[in-house]
Amino acid sequence: MSDAVARLRTASEIQEIDAADLTDFDNDVRGLGAPAVLRGLVKAWPLVAAANDGDAAVVGYLSQRYNGQGITGIIGDTVGNRRLFYNDDVTRFNFERVSGRLDSFLRQLLQENKQSEVFAMALQSTLIDEILPTVAAENALALLPGIRPRIWIGNRIEVAPHYDLKENIACCAAGRRRFTLFPPDQLANLYPGPLELTPAGTPVSMVNPKNPDLARYPRFAEAWAAASQATLEPGDALYIPFGWWHGVDSLEPISILVNYWWTAARTDDVGNGYDAMLHALMSYRHLPPEQRGIWRSMLDFYVFEQAGDPVSHLPSHAKGVLGPPSAKLFAMMRATLKRALG
């Protein structure tokens, strides 16, 4: 470890809330505008109880409730390498995607526990009700009714810092998990990877938080100054606000997490912001600087409403696409975009 890395301070701890004291999720948690650990939120889940009885018990719990649907997982390409990332020249990932059965995957995890050096293995972001419908029913989260949970199962792996385009509650069901979070305004200091080649849809940080190369990524020191961390035990959960970067270390031979993603958009008809950003890159990035500045001003005015409602001075019938959201309005906008991009 270099002297510069050694001088980085210990990350601050994420604020904790005892789930037993939680009465108003929107105000007490989301209202913070920051991550929060919800201690004991899902400690009563049967899945957590099985995990507390040991690896074999939780594998048995899941295997007995598996409906036989195929799964897709990932496996690292080098024994002993826990970090799921790119190869050295960033042309591909350092893992492969494989298909199979959940019960076989779980048996292999148990078997791998007996080895000193193993391949990284993971089942990621799989809808529980598609492969384990009984588990989904038995382990519900009353805070988010109607949100379909996803399950993540693996061994000791390290997931690079990345961000989600939704809010997230991550529930630790088996094994401990260490989360490292960075606020959205640290984007530039986290040195994002390619937009096109991503492990799961959004860019990951090219910096290894456990051993940062500050000669190559000097601004990461600023990101680390804003970082916060928490270790979740089985039964704990973590609220991650929209856009917050998070890296995850699974600390046990068998680790299971259940997460809930949702969006707080006023309507389900809104477009995909990430797609819009890619279109903006194509439209604005290569213009002369003075033109880019003008477009930025227009986006600030019309989209981000830096000066307030941009059409407050117009009668309702004349507001057009800047009027109140409705299914009819979004249908009209989509039709217009299709013609423009056709």
Side-chain angles (χ1 to χ4, degrees):
M1 181 182 293
S2 69
D3 291 341
V5 172
R7 288 196 295 272
L8 294 179
R9 68 162 179 80
T10 301
S12 61
E13 290 296 314
I14 297 171
Q15 179 172 343
E16 296 189 8
I17 298 172
D18 188 334
D21 300 330
L22 185 60
T23 58
D24 187 335
F25 175 65
D26 281 344
N27 287 325
D28 297 343
V29 180
R30 296 181 70 235
L32 296 173
V37 175
L38 309 177
R39 292 291 181 196
L41 181 68
V42 296
K43 65 181 181 180
W45 277 3
L47 177 59
V48 173
N52 288 335
D53 287 337
D55 292 346
V58 74
V59 164
Y61 174 83
L62 294 176
S63 298
Q64 292 163 14
R65 290 160 177 78
Y66 174 46
N67 65 5
Q69 292 291 318
I71 63 166
T72 299
I74 59 177
I75 185 167
D77 60 12
T78 305
V79 171
N81 182 18
R82 298 174 50 190
R83 189 178 182 221
L84 301 177
F85 198 61
Y86 296 99
N87 63 349
D88 290 340
D89 57 5
V90 196
T91 56
R92 61 176 179 82
F93 303 119
N94 66 353
F95 57 84
E96 296 181 2
R97 302 191 187 279
V98 294
S99 299
R101 289 178 55 91
L102 177 64
D103 46 5
S104 299
F105 172 81
L106 293 170
R107 284 196 300 270
Q108 186 174 354
L109 272 182
L110 275 179
Q111 182 63 31
E112 292 280 328
N113 285 355
K114 302 174 184 177
Q115 310 298 322
S116 58
E117 294 289 342
V118 301
F119 289 97
M121 295 174 56
L123 170 71
Q124 297 186 309
S125 189
T126 301
L127 286 165
I128 302 180
D129 58 13
E130 292 187 351
I131 61 170
L132 297 159
T134 305
V135 173
E138 292 176 346
N139 301 270
L141 186 63
L143 284 180
L144 297 172
I147 304 299
R148 299 172 71 190
R150 296 173 178 269
I151 195 165
W152 309 65
I153 307 172
N155 52 12
R156 292 187 177 99
I157 59 175
E158 299 172 7
V159 175
H162 60 285
Y163 59 88
D164 298 328
L165 296 174
K166 295 185 177 183
E167 295 181 69
N168 186 10
I169 289 184
C171 304
C172 183
R176 296 173 302 128
R177 291 202 178 210
R178 183 72 167 167
F179 283 79
T180 303
L181 274 68
F182 304 87
D185 62 9
Q186 294 303 309
L187 170 67
N189 298 329
L190 288 166
Y191 298 88
L195 288 172
E196 301 84 1
L197 183 65
T198 67
T202 58
V204 301
S205 172
M206 297 301 292
V207 188
N208 183 350
K210 301 179 81 171
N211 187 26
D213 183 346
L214 295 182
R216 186 175 184 181
Y217 306 114
R219 292 195 308 273
F220 180 75
E222 297 179 45
W224 190 254
S228 55
Q229 290 185 315
T231 299
L232 301 189
E233 303 285 342
D236 295 336
L238 174 66
Y239 168 67
I240 305 175
F242 179 96
W244 278 68
W245 289 74
H246 49 287
V248 190
D249 293 345
S250 300
L251 305 178
E252 309 294 347
I254 291 183
S255 180
I256 301 173
L257 180 130
V258 174
N259 91 295
Y260 298 78
W261 277 317
W262 80 97
T263 177
R266 290 174 292 178
T267 171
D268 291 335
D269 293 320
V270 296
N272 185 302
Y274 201 73
D275 291 345
M277 186 178 73
L278 294 176
H279 191 197
L281 285 171
M282 182 175 68
S283 301
Y284 306 136
R285 188 166 185 263
H286 303 289
L287 294 176
E290 63 275 12
Q291 292 186 22
R292 291 168 63 186
I294 292 170
W295 280 113
R296 180 175 181 175
S297 296
M298 283 198 273
L299 289 170
D300 281 343
F301 180 69
Y302 285 111
V303 178
F304 302 110
E305 300 185 353
Q306 294 296 299
D309 183 356
V311 290
S312 61
H313 57 286
L314 295 177
S316 296
H317 69 269
K319 293 183 178 181
V321 298
L322 293 170
S326 68
K328 182 179 179 180
L329 180 141
F330 285 113
M332 179 181 68
M333 293 178 73
R334 281 190 167 84
T336 301
L337 286 171
K338 285 180 180 179
R339 288 194 297 273
L341 296 173

